[in-house]
Amino acid sequence: QADVLAWIGAGVLAASTWERLLTVFVAGLIEISAALGLAITARSVVELMAPTPVPVEEVKETLNQALPPGLKVMKIEEIDQGAPTLQTQVEAAEYSVTLLDPVPTLDERIVELLASEKLPREWRGKPYDLRPLVLELGRLADDEEGRCRMTMRLSAQAGATGRPEEVLSQMNIAPESTLVHRTRLVFKQ
């Protein structure tokens, strides 16, 4: 199921699933803390604001009963209404990437990218420098099938968001020949 869900964009997922689920429970506001790119899997953080107080465990149980296969609410926490939104608190995102095709020079490509002072790229017709958005890049142990794996920690701030597919393209690795999973969101302290 996760493979199928990876091809549903975050905006579509929010509109078609989470917002519908809120009507099952209570009309409210929804905000996804860090949207995912197409074909990236993750355990996402979703911020919900209900117009009236609702018991947390009741929300979790009701949502899990209504969610489609492959989606599950893992944890719900009540937060202070005066606190900043989670979306404004995200600083970085960490990813694990599995390469489906062999890349014998992966270590060299990582070193080369990290040694670069600038990595000029273009996104939606606008030039930008990818290098300051790559906070960390490294190798992970190969998976059980012997496929190369790597880790990325990318900036995820407004106006300064690194995208795994852009890093992969910069390394001459076709993004469609990888499995990308966001492992963690890093929040400001």
PDB file of all heavy atoms in Angstrom, residues 149-183:
ATOM      1  N   ARG A 149      22.610   2.575  -0.250  1.00  0.00           N
ATOM      2  CA  ARG A 149      21.717   3.496   0.439  1.00  0.00           C
ATOM      3  C   ARG A 149      22.509   4.718   0.880  1.00  0.00           C
ATOM      4  O   ARG A 149      23.698   4.635   1.129  1.00  0.00           O
ATOM      5  CB  ARG A 149      21.083   2.823   1.654  1.00  0.00           C
ATOM      6  CG  ARG A 149      20.158   1.678   1.267  1.00  0.00           C
ATOM      7  CD  ARG A 149      19.628   0.907   2.473  1.00  0.00           C
ATOM      8  NE  ARG A 149      18.881   1.765   3.365  1.00  0.00           N
ATOM      9  CZ  ARG A 149      19.111   1.885   4.679  1.00  0.00           C
ATOM     10  NH1 ARG A 149      20.080   1.217   5.253  1.00  0.00           N
ATOM     11  NH2 ARG A 149      18.385   2.680   5.419  1.00  0.00           N
ATOM     12  N   MET A 150      21.803   5.832   0.977  1.00  0.00           N
ATOM     13  CA  MET A 150      22.437   7.058   1.449  1.00  0.00           C
ATOM     14  C   MET A 150      21.454   7.825   2.320  1.00  0.00           C
ATOM     15  O   MET A 150      20.258   7.532   2.337  1.00  0.00           O
ATOM     16  CB  MET A 150      22.923   7.908   0.282  1.00  0.00           C
ATOM     17  CG  MET A 150      21.861   8.279  -0.722  1.00  0.00           C
ATOM     18  SD  MET A 150      22.506   9.043  -2.217  1.00  0.00           S
ATOM     19  CE  MET A 150      22.963  10.632  -1.612  1.00  0.00           C
ATOM     20  N   THR A 151      21.980   8.790   3.048  1.00  0.00           N
ATOM     21  CA  THR A 151      21.159   9.632   3.899  1.00  0.00           C
ATOM     22  C   THR A 151      21.356  11.086   3.505  1.00  0.00           C
ATOM     23  O   THR A 151      22.443  11.463   3.053  1.00  0.00           O
ATOM     24  CB  THR A 151      21.503   9.413   5.398  1.00  0.00           C
ATOM     25  OG1 THR A 151      20.640  10.223   6.189  1.00  0.00           O
ATOM     26  CG2 THR A 151      22.942   9.733   5.711  1.00  0.00           C
ATOM     27  N   MET A 152      20.305  11.874   3.642  1.00  0.00           N
ATOM     28  CA  MET A 152      20.358  13.301   3.344  1.00  0.00           C
ATOM     29  C   MET A 152      19.685  14.053   4.482  1.00  0.00           C
ATOM     30  O   MET A 152      18.665  13.608   4.990  1.00  0.00           O
ATOM     31  CB  MET A 152      19.552  13.648   2.085  1.00  0.00           C
ATOM     32  CG  MET A 152      19.987  13.039   0.822  1.00  0.00           C
ATOM     33  SD  MET A 152      18.855  13.599  -0.499  1.00  0.00           S
ATOM     34  CE  MET A 152      19.426  12.552  -1.821  1.00  0.00           C
ATOM     35  N   ARG A 153      20.268  15.170   4.844  1.00  0.00           N
ATOM     36  CA  ARG A 153      19.609  16.126   5.739  1.00  0.00           C
ATOM     37  C   ARG A 153      19.565  17.428   4.959  1.00  0.00           C
ATOM     38  O   ARG A 153      20.615  18.006   4.645  1.00  0.00           O
ATOM     39  CB  ARG A 153      20.373  16.291   7.044  1.00  0.00           C
ATOM     40  CG  ARG A 153      19.674  17.239   8.010  1.00  0.00           C
ATOM     41  CD  ARG A 153      20.459  17.327   9.313  1.00  0.00           C
ATOM     42  NE  ARG A 153      19.779  18.203  10.224  1.00  0.00           N
ATOM     43  CZ  ARG A 153      19.697  18.001  11.527  1.00  0.00           C
ATOM     44  NH1 ARG A 153      20.265  16.947  12.073  1.00  0.00           N
ATOM     45  NH2 ARG A 153      19.070  18.843  12.287  1.00  0.00           N
ATOM     46  N   LEU A 154      18.343  17.867   4.634  1.00  0.00           N
ATOM     47  CA  LEU A 154      18.150  19.032   3.774  1.00  0.00           C
ATOM     48  C   LEU A 154      17.389  20.130   4.495  1.00  0.00           C
ATOM     49  O   LEU A 154      16.499  19.841   5.307  1.00  0.00           O
ATOM     50  CB  LEU A 154      17.384  18.627   2.510  1.00  0.00           C
ATOM     51  CG  LEU A 154      17.960  17.451   1.706  1.00  0.00           C
ATOM     52  CD1 LEU A 154      17.052  17.118   0.532  1.00  0.00           C
ATOM     53  CD2 LEU A 154      19.367  17.756   1.244  1.00  0.00           C
ATOM     54  N   SER A 155      17.726  21.356   4.184  1.00  0.00           N
ATOM     55  CA  SER A 155      16.999  22.491   4.737  1.00  0.00           C
ATOM     56  C   SER A 155      15.530  22.373   4.338  1.00  0.00           C
ATOM     57  O   SER A 155      15.209  21.971   3.215  1.00  0.00           O
ATOM     58  CB  SER A 155      17.593  23.792   4.192  1.00  0.00           C
ATOM     59  OG  SER A 155      16.817  24.897   4.602  1.00  0.00           O
ATOM     60  N   ALA A 156      14.636  22.739   5.265  1.00  0.00           N
ATOM     61  CA  ALA A 156      13.197  22.679   4.983  1.00  0.00           C
ATOM     62  C   ALA A 156      12.507  23.928   5.521  1.00  0.00           C
ATOM     63  O   ALA A 156      11.468  23.855   6.158  1.00  0.00           O
ATOM     64  CB  ALA A 156      12.599  21.412   5.589  1.00  0.00           C
ATOM     65  N   GLN A 157      13.120  25.072   5.267  1.00  0.00           N
ATOM     66  CA  GLN A 157      12.567  26.336   5.745  1.00  0.00           C
ATOM     67  C   GLN A 157      11.901  27.076   4.590  1.00  0.00           C
ATOM     68  O   GLN A 157      12.226  26.852   3.429  1.00  0.00           O
ATOM     69  CB  GLN A 157      13.685  27.178   6.345  1.00  0.00           C
ATOM     70  CG  GLN A 157      14.360  26.488   7.526  1.00  0.00           C
ATOM     71  CD  GLN A 157      15.464  27.333   8.102  1.00  0.00           C
ATOM     72  OE1 GLN A 157      15.222  28.468   8.482  1.00  0.00           O
ATOM     73  NE2 GLN A 157      16.673  26.785   8.161  1.00  0.00           N
ATOM     74  N   ALA A 158      11.006  27.964   4.935  1.00  0.00           N
ATOM     75  CA  ALA A 158      10.320  28.753   3.911  1.00  0.00           C
ATOM     76  C   ALA A 158      11.350  29.476   3.051  1.00  0.00           C
ATOM     77  O   ALA A 158      12.237  30.140   3.563  1.00  0.00           O
ATOM     78  CB  ALA A 158       9.376  29.758   4.565  1.00  0.00           C
ATOM     79  N   GLY A 159      11.268  29.295   1.755  1.00  0.00           N
ATOM     80  CA  GLY A 159      12.186  29.945   0.833  1.00  0.00           C
ATOM     81  C   GLY A 159      13.552  29.299   0.741  1.00  0.00           C
ATOM     82  O   GLY A 159      14.410  29.775   0.010  1.00  0.00           O
ATOM     83  N   ALA A 160      13.784  28.229   1.497  1.00  0.00           N
ATOM     84  CA  ALA A 160      15.089  27.546   1.481  1.00  0.00           C
ATOM     85  C   ALA A 160      14.875  26.058   1.743  1.00  0.00           C
ATOM     86  O   ALA A 160      15.272  25.528   2.771  1.00  0.00           O
ATOM     87  CB  ALA A 160      16.022  28.142   2.525  1.00  0.00           C
ATOM     88  N   THR A 161      14.223  25.410   0.791  1.00  0.00           N
ATOM     89  CA  THR A 161      13.895  23.991   0.955  1.00  0.00           C
ATOM     90  C   THR A 161      14.671  23.144  -0.044  1.00  0.00           C
ATOM     91  O   THR A 161      14.541  23.336  -1.260  1.00  0.00           O
ATOM     92  CB  THR A 161      12.381  23.757   0.756  1.00  0.00           C
ATOM     93  OG1 THR A 161      11.676  24.525   1.747  1.00  0.00           O
ATOM     94  CG2 THR A 161      12.026  22.296   0.900  1.00  0.00           C
ATOM     95  N   GLY A 162      15.465  22.223   0.474  1.00  0.00           N
ATOM     96  CA  GLY A 162      16.174  21.272  -0.368  1.00  0.00           C
ATOM     97  C   GLY A 162      15.252  20.119  -0.728  1.00  0.00           C
ATOM     98  O   GLY A 162      14.463  19.669   0.096  1.00  0.00           O
ATOM     99  N   ARG A 163      15.346  19.650  -1.960  1.00  0.00           N
ATOM    100  CA  ARG A 163      14.503  18.555  -2.428  1.00  0.00           C
ATOM    101  C   ARG A 163      15.381  17.367  -2.789  1.00  0.00           C
ATOM    102  O   ARG A 163      16.358  17.518  -3.534  1.00  0.00           O
ATOM    103  CB  ARG A 163      13.688  19.003  -3.638  1.00  0.00           C
ATOM    104  CG  ARG A 163      12.657  20.054  -3.296  1.00  0.00           C
ATOM    105  CD  ARG A 163      12.028  20.661  -4.543  1.00  0.00           C
ATOM    106  NE  ARG A 163      11.021  21.627  -4.182  1.00  0.00           N
ATOM    107  CZ  ARG A 163      11.277  22.872  -3.772  1.00  0.00           C
ATOM    108  NH1 ARG A 163      12.523  23.294  -3.689  1.00  0.00           N
ATOM    109  NH2 ARG A 163      10.302  23.696  -3.455  1.00  0.00           N
ATOM    110  N   PRO A 164      15.030  16.182  -2.286  1.00  0.00           N
ATOM    111  CA  PRO A 164      15.855  15.001  -2.566  1.00  0.00           C
ATOM    112  C   PRO A 164      16.071  14.758  -4.057  1.00  0.00           C
ATOM    113  O   PRO A 164      17.170  14.403  -4.479  1.00  0.00           O
ATOM    114  CB  PRO A 164      15.076  13.850  -1.931  1.00  0.00           C
ATOM    115  CG  PRO A 164      14.198  14.478  -0.928  1.00  0.00           C
ATOM    116  CD  PRO A 164      13.896  15.856  -1.436  1.00  0.00           C
ATOM    117  N   GLU A 165      15.047  14.976  -4.871  1.00  0.00           N
ATOM    118  CA  GLU A 165      15.179  14.721  -6.311  1.00  0.00           C
ATOM    119  C   GLU A 165      16.189  15.674  -6.953  1.00  0.00           C
ATOM    120  O   GLU A 165      16.868  15.304  -7.910  1.00  0.00           O
ATOM    121  CB  GLU A 165      13.818  14.783  -7.021  1.00  0.00           C
ATOM    122  CG  GLU A 165      13.125  16.123  -7.000  1.00  0.00           C
ATOM    123  CD  GLU A 165      12.249  16.392  -5.777  1.00  0.00           C
ATOM    124  OE1 GLU A 165      12.406  15.721  -4.739  1.00  0.00           O
ATOM    125  OE2 GLU A 165      11.403  17.300  -5.870  1.00  0.00           O
ATOM    126  N   GLU A 166      16.315  16.883  -6.423  1.00  0.00           N
ATOM    127  CA  GLU A 166      17.298  17.827  -6.948  1.00  0.00           C
ATOM    128  C   GLU A 166      18.721  17.393  -6.574  1.00  0.00           C
ATOM    129  O   GLU A 166      19.643  17.507  -7.383  1.00  0.00           O
ATOM    130  CB  GLU A 166      17.026  19.241  -6.430  1.00  0.00           C
ATOM    131  CG  GLU A 166      15.762  19.863  -7.006  1.00  0.00           C
ATOM    132  CD  GLU A 166      15.918  20.194  -8.478  1.00  0.00           C
ATOM    133  OE1 GLU A 166      16.868  20.900  -8.856  1.00  0.00           O
ATOM    134  OE2 GLU A 166      15.070  19.744  -9.271  1.00  0.00           O
ATOM    135  N   VAL A 167      18.892  16.890  -5.353  1.00  0.00           N
ATOM    136  CA  VAL A 167      20.205  16.389  -4.928  1.00  0.00           C
ATOM    137  C   VAL A 167      20.597  15.188  -5.779  1.00  0.00           C
ATOM    138  O   VAL A 167      21.720  15.093  -6.279  1.00  0.00           O
ATOM    139  CB  VAL A 167      20.209  16.027  -3.430  1.00  0.00           C
ATOM    140  CG1 VAL A 167      21.542  15.402  -3.016  1.00  0.00           C
ATOM    141  CG2 VAL A 167      19.909  17.263  -2.577  1.00  0.00           C
ATOM    142  N   LEU A 168      19.652  14.280  -5.976  1.00  0.00           N
ATOM    143  CA  LEU A 168      19.926  13.090  -6.792  1.00  0.00           C
ATOM    144  C   LEU A 168      20.285  13.480  -8.227  1.00  0.00           C
ATOM    145  O   LEU A 168      21.248  12.956  -8.788  1.00  0.00           O
ATOM    146  CB  LEU A 168      18.719  12.144  -6.765  1.00  0.00           C
ATOM    147  CG  LEU A 168      18.453  11.482  -5.419  1.00  0.00           C
ATOM    148  CD1 LEU A 168      17.059  10.868  -5.389  1.00  0.00           C
ATOM    149  CD2 LEU A 168      19.519  10.448  -5.106  1.00  0.00           C
ATOM    150  N   SER A 169      19.527  14.390  -8.805  1.00  0.00           N
ATOM    151  CA  SER A 169      19.821  14.838 -10.174  1.00  0.00           C
ATOM    152  C   SER A 169      21.204  15.478 -10.252  1.00  0.00           C
ATOM    153  O   SER A 169      21.944  15.245 -11.211  1.00  0.00           O
ATOM    154  CB  SER A 169      18.756  15.828 -10.649  1.00  0.00           C
ATOM    155  OG  SER A 169      17.515  15.185 -10.790  1.00  0.00           O
ATOM    156  N   GLN A 170      21.571  16.262  -9.244  1.00  0.00           N
ATOM    157  CA  GLN A 170      22.892  16.890  -9.205  1.00  0.00           C
ATOM    158  C   GLN A 170      23.990  15.832  -9.174  1.00  0.00           C
ATOM    159  O   GLN A 170      25.080  16.038  -9.693  1.00  0.00           O
ATOM    160  CB  GLN A 170      23.001  17.812  -7.977  1.00  0.00           C
ATOM    161  CG  GLN A 170      24.294  18.573  -7.893  1.00  0.00           C
ATOM    162  CD  GLN A 170      24.441  19.632  -8.978  1.00  0.00           C
ATOM    163  OE1 GLN A 170      23.488  20.323  -9.325  1.00  0.00           O
ATOM    164  NE2 GLN A 170      25.637  19.759  -9.523  1.00  0.00           N
ATOM    165  N   MET A 171      23.690  14.672  -8.569  1.00  0.00           N
ATOM    166  CA  MET A 171      24.663  13.576  -8.467  1.00  0.00           C
ATOM    167  C   MET A 171      24.596  12.638  -9.674  1.00  0.00           C
ATOM    168  O   MET A 171      25.204  11.572  -9.671  1.00  0.00           O
ATOM    169  CB  MET A 171      24.417  12.790  -7.181  1.00  0.00           C
ATOM    170  CG  MET A 171      24.624  13.615  -5.913  1.00  0.00           C
ATOM    171  SD  MET A 171      24.140  12.720  -4.423  1.00  0.00           S
ATOM    172  CE  MET A 171      25.433  11.487  -4.353  1.00  0.00           C
ATOM    173  N   ASN A 172      23.814  13.024 -10.701  1.00  0.00           N
ATOM    174  CA  ASN A 172      23.612  12.191 -11.897  1.00  0.00           C
ATOM    175  C   ASN A 172      23.007  10.831 -11.561  1.00  0.00           C
ATOM    176  O   ASN A 172      23.390   9.807 -12.105  1.00  0.00           O
ATOM    177  CB  ASN A 172      24.908  12.034 -12.697  1.00  0.00           C
ATOM    178  CG  ASN A 172      25.339  13.339 -13.322  1.00  0.00           C
ATOM    179  OD1 ASN A 172      24.520  14.065 -13.870  1.00  0.00           O
ATOM    180  ND2 ASN A 172      26.609  13.656 -13.196  1.00  0.00           N
ATOM    181  N   ILE A 173      22.046  10.859 -10.644  1.00  0.00           N
ATOM    182  CA  ILE A 173      21.269   9.664 -10.276  1.00  0.00           C
ATOM    183  C   ILE A 173      19.817   9.982 -10.614  1.00  0.00           C
ATOM    184  O   ILE A 173      19.275  10.993 -10.149  1.00  0.00           O
ATOM    185  CB  ILE A 173      21.411   9.338  -8.774  1.00  0.00           C
ATOM    186  CG1 ILE A 173      22.872   9.014  -8.430  1.00  0.00           C
ATOM    187  CG2 ILE A 173      20.487   8.196  -8.378  1.00  0.00           C
ATOM    188  CD1 ILE A 173      23.159   8.901  -6.942  1.00  0.00           C
ATOM    189  N   ALA A 174      19.209   9.143 -11.424  1.00  0.00           N
ATOM    190  CA  ALA A 174      17.818   9.371 -11.819  1.00  0.00           C
ATOM    191  C   ALA A 174      16.909   9.186 -10.597  1.00  0.00           C
ATOM    192  O   ALA A 174      16.885   8.109 -10.003  1.00  0.00           O
ATOM    193  CB  ALA A 174      17.417   8.402 -12.924  1.00  0.00           C
ATOM    194  N   PRO A 175      16.179  10.224 -10.197  1.00  0.00           N
ATOM    195  CA  PRO A 175      15.310  10.107  -9.022  1.00  0.00           C
ATOM    196  C   PRO A 175      14.303   8.963  -9.123  1.00  0.00           C
ATOM    197  O   PRO A 175      13.977   8.327  -8.129  1.00  0.00           O
ATOM    198  CB  PRO A 175      14.595  11.458  -8.962  1.00  0.00           C
ATOM    199  CG  PRO A 175      15.521  12.404  -9.658  1.00  0.00           C
ATOM    200  CD  PRO A 175      16.171  11.578 -10.742  1.00  0.00           C
ATOM    201  N   GLU A 176      13.858   8.679 -10.347  1.00  0.00           N
ATOM    202  CA  GLU A 176      12.870   7.602 -10.519  1.00  0.00           C
ATOM    203  C   GLU A 176      13.476   6.209 -10.312  1.00  0.00           C
ATOM    204  O   GLU A 176      12.750   5.222 -10.242  1.00  0.00           O
ATOM    205  CB  GLU A 176      12.170   7.705 -11.878  1.00  0.00           C
ATOM    206  CG  GLU A 176      13.074   7.593 -13.075  1.00  0.00           C
ATOM    207  CD  GLU A 176      13.713   8.910 -13.511  1.00  0.00           C
ATOM    208  OE1 GLU A 176      13.608   9.939 -12.828  1.00  0.00           O
ATOM    209  OE2 GLU A 176      14.337   8.891 -14.590  1.00  0.00           O
ATOM    210  N   SER A 177      14.801   6.129 -10.198  1.00  0.00           N
ATOM    211  CA  SER A 177      15.446   4.832  -9.937  1.00  0.00           C
ATOM    212  C   SER A 177      15.863   4.715  -8.467  1.00  0.00           C
ATOM    213  O   SER A 177      16.806   4.016  -8.134  1.00  0.00           O
ATOM    214  CB  SER A 177      16.660   4.635 -10.850  1.00  0.00           C
ATOM    215  OG  SER A 177      17.683   5.551 -10.500  1.00  0.00           O
ATOM    216  N   THR A 178      15.119   5.431  -7.602  1.00  0.00           N
ATOM    217  CA  THR A 178      15.410   5.404  -6.171  1.00  0.00           C
ATOM    218  C   THR A 178      14.127   5.246  -5.363  1.00  0.00           C
ATOM    219  O   THR A 178      13.024   5.493  -5.876  1.00  0.00           O
ATOM    220  CB  THR A 178      16.092   6.713  -5.711  1.00  0.00           C
ATOM    221  OG1 THR A 178      15.180   7.802  -5.873  1.00  0.00           O
ATOM    222  CG2 THR A 178      17.364   6.993  -6.490  1.00  0.00           C
ATOM    223  N   LEU A 179      14.283   4.844  -4.131  1.00  0.00           N
ATOM    224  CA  LEU A 179      13.191   4.856  -3.152  1.00  0.00           C
ATOM    225  C   LEU A 179      13.606   5.875  -2.096  1.00  0.00           C
ATOM    226  O   LEU A 179      14.651   5.721  -1.462  1.00  0.00           O
ATOM    227  CB  LEU A 179      13.010   3.483  -2.503  1.00  0.00           C
ATOM    228  CG  LEU A 179      12.656   2.323  -3.433  1.00  0.00           C
ATOM    229  CD1 LEU A 179      12.643   1.010  -2.660  1.00  0.00           C
ATOM    230  CD2 LEU A 179      11.310   2.573  -4.095  1.00  0.00           C
ATOM    231  N   VAL A 180      12.799   6.917  -1.932  1.00  0.00           N
ATOM    232  CA  VAL A 180      13.125   7.987  -0.990  1.00  0.00           C
ATOM    233  C   VAL A 180      12.104   7.950   0.147  1.00  0.00           C
ATOM    234  O   VAL A 180      10.894   7.941  -0.086  1.00  0.00           O
ATOM    235  CB  VAL A 180      13.107   9.371  -1.677  1.00  0.00           C
ATOM    236  CG1 VAL A 180      13.449  10.470  -0.680  1.00  0.00           C
ATOM    237  CG2 VAL A 180      14.066   9.398  -2.865  1.00  0.00           C
ATOM    238  N   HIS A 181      12.620   7.937   1.369  1.00  0.00           N
ATOM    239  CA  HIS A 181      11.758   7.923   2.548  1.00  0.00           C
ATOM    240  C   HIS A 181      12.205   9.024   3.508  1.00  0.00           C
ATOM    241  O   HIS A 181      13.372   9.060   3.890  1.00  0.00           O
ATOM    242  CB  HIS A 181      11.828   6.564   3.255  1.00  0.00           C
ATOM    243  CG  HIS A 181      10.951   6.483   4.463  1.00  0.00           C
ATOM    244  ND1 HIS A 181       9.585   6.352   4.378  1.00  0.00           N
ATOM    245  CD2 HIS A 181      11.247   6.541   5.789  1.00  0.00           C
ATOM    246  CE1 HIS A 181       9.079   6.322   5.597  1.00  0.00           C
ATOM    247  NE2 HIS A 181      10.054   6.438   6.468  1.00  0.00           N
ATOM    248  N   ARG A 182      11.273   9.924   3.843  1.00  0.00           N
ATOM    249  CA  ARG A 182      11.611  10.934   4.830  1.00  0.00           C
ATOM    250  C   ARG A 182      11.554  10.268   6.206  1.00  0.00           C
ATOM    251  O   ARG A 182      10.520   9.739   6.603  1.00  0.00           O
ATOM    252  CB  ARG A 182      10.648  12.124   4.773  1.00  0.00           C
ATOM    253  CG  ARG A 182      11.094  13.256   5.702  1.00  0.00           C
ATOM    254  CD  ARG A 182      10.251  14.490   5.597  1.00  0.00           C
ATOM    255  NE  ARG A 182       8.924  14.212   6.093  1.00  0.00           N
ATOM    256  CZ  ARG A 182       7.833  14.905   5.770  1.00  0.00           C
ATOM    257  NH1 ARG A 182       7.910  15.914   4.930  1.00  0.00           N
ATOM    258  NH2 ARG A 182       6.660  14.596   6.256  1.00  0.00           N
ATOM    259  N   THR A 183      12.675  10.268   6.890  1.00  0.00           N
ATOM    260  CA  THR A 183      12.776   9.572   8.169  1.00  0.00           C
ATOM    261  C   THR A 183      12.489  10.462   9.371  1.00  0.00           C
ATOM    262  O   THR A 183      12.133   9.968  10.437  1.00  0.00           O
ATOM    263  CB  THR A 183      14.172   8.955   8.351  1.00  0.00           C
ATOM    264  OG1 THR A 183      15.159   9.987   8.212  1.00  0.00           O
ATOM    265  CG2 THR A 183      14.431   7.875   7.307  1.00  0.00           C
TER     266      THR A 183
END
